[in-house]
Amino acid sequence: ITDHNTCDVYLDLDINTINKNGVIIYGMEADSLINNVTYDILCYGFDLNKVNSWAKGQYGTIESRQAKIYAMLEELCEKLNLKLDKSNPYNPEKEFAHAAVFRMLEISNENKDFLSKYKIENVNDLYRESSMNKDFPLYIDMSIVWPKIETLSKIIHENGGKIFLAHPYKYAKNVEVDKILNSCLSYIDGIEISNESKNAEEVLYLYNFAKENNLLICAGSDYHGSEEHKYFDVEFLTENMEADIKRWIDEVKGKVTIN
């Protein structure tokens, strides 16, 4: 389970209900900056208490982070004369900032040219554009909420863990995926090769890149509990890919204990 920027889920587990033949490998999906670009970094196999303590201090609460992001986006929209429909006001306890801003922009016909010009069709487009492109009018410096990769890498590695780049193709709307992979290569231990993947060719490309660069691999369903993310399935893995993932898990098992 790799929740965003927190490991609290593991503190809620009732150890007595867990299959004693199974193994829990602690995980977290941490937002981090590589060359000022926001990436989702999967962290695995670390010391739970130390990393969770660091995460609480670094990331704070979802509400506090999202309130900061929304305030900056709102200010930029005002400067660009983009109309935000606030008939349904933003509540950081219930909605991510980029989701709210996209919703508010989409409602108003006055913003259609802007959304069309930058091909913003959904909240992921808005978030990834602003996170990936300094020339995008709604770009904000996400260092207000995210640590640099050097900081994240240090805390995870010092506490026995590994870091993987999550879902590389989700960043690749206007950037070639190999450019993304190479920009992250010197910081990561592995790549998530399957995550809501569109086809087997994407998964194979990521797998081959990992093998060529001596990287570990993992795979995930990106299950968020919503109707959109309702399956645990991981697609397009071959037997060789599954064997590589199993070898990585077997290496970690001996180092992880449930406290």
Side-chain angles (χ1 to χ4, degrees), residues 2-10 27-29 52 55-56 59:
T2 53
D3 205 355
H4 281 268
N5 307 314
T6 178
C7 319
D8 279 348
V9 62
Y10 295 102
M28 175 176 67
E29 185 168 8
N52 200 40
K56 286 180 180 296
Y59 292 105

Side-chain angles (χ1 to χ4, degrees), residues 126-174:
L126 179 63
Y127 178 62
R128 294 302 176 196
E129 276 296 311
S130 62
S131 296
M132 298 287 287
N133 184 0
K134 284 188 175 182
D135 296 325
F136 182 58
L138 292 180
Y139 171 83
I140 58 176
D141 183 351
M142 296 296 284
S143 64
I144 60 170
V145 289
W146 308 142
K148 291 184 177 181
I149 190 64
E150 291 85 354
T151 300
L152 176 65
S153 176
K154 185 173 186 289
I155 193 71
I156 298 300
H157 287 141
E158 283 183 348
N159 287 285
K162 301 288 187 184
I163 61 176
F164 292 63
L165 177 65
H167 45 63
Y169 275 95
K170 287 190 177 180
Y171 313 109
K173 181 181 178 184
N174 294 315

Side-chain angles (χ1 to χ4, degrees), residues 222-240:
D222 220 339
Y223 177 80
H224 287 183
S226 66
E227 191 64 23
E228 181 182 0
H229 303 94
K230 61 183 178 180
Y231 299 113
F232 284 105
D233 299 7
V234 179
E235 298 185 293
F236 308 122
L237 296 184
T238 66
E239 289 185 2
N240 286 340

Side-chain angles (χ1 to χ4, degrees), residues 40-165:
D40 295 337
I41 304 296
L42 295 163
C43 310
Y44 294 121
F46 45 75
D47 182 296
L48 174 62
N49 293 325
K50 290 181 180 178
V51 170
N52 200 40
S53 176
W54 170 82
K56 286 180 180 296
Q58 170 64 56
Y59 292 105
T61 65
I62 294 176
E63 294 78 14
S64 65
R65 294 196 305 269
Q66 295 304 315
K68 287 181 183 178
I69 296 170
Y70 178 82
M72 294 190 73
L73 288 171
E74 183 181 40
E75 182 179 343
L76 286 172
C77 286
E78 289 177 0
K79 290 180 179 178
L80 294 167
N81 293 317
L82 296 172
K83 181 176 176 54
L84 295 179
D85 186 316
K86 299 180 182 179
S87 56
N88 180 9
Y90 175 56
N91 182 346
E93 294 183 0
K94 296 182 179 180
E95 194 174 17
F96 287 116
H98 282 86
V101 169
F102 175 74
R103 166 176 61 80
M104 294 175 180
L105 287 172
E106 189 180 35
I107 290 175
S108 174
N109 288 328
E110 299 173 37
N111 303 317
K112 289 192 179 299
D113 288 344
F114 174 83
L115 296 175
S116 176
K117 177 181 178 180
Y118 291 98
K119 299 180 181 179
I120 306 299
E121 299 176 357
N122 53 55
V123 63
N124 191 61
D125 290 342
L126 179 63
Y127 178 62
R128 294 302 176 196
E129 276 296 311
S130 62
S131 296
M132 298 287 287
N133 184 0
K134 284 188 175 182
D135 296 325
F136 182 58
L138 292 180
Y139 171 83
I140 58 176
D141 183 351
M142 296 296 284
S143 64
I144 60 170
V145 289
W146 308 142
K148 291 184 177 181
I149 190 64
E150 291 85 354
T151 300
L152 176 65
S153 176
K154 185 173 186 289
I155 193 71
I156 298 300
H157 287 141
E158 283 183 348
N159 287 285
K162 301 288 187 184
I163 61 176
F164 292 63
L165 177 65

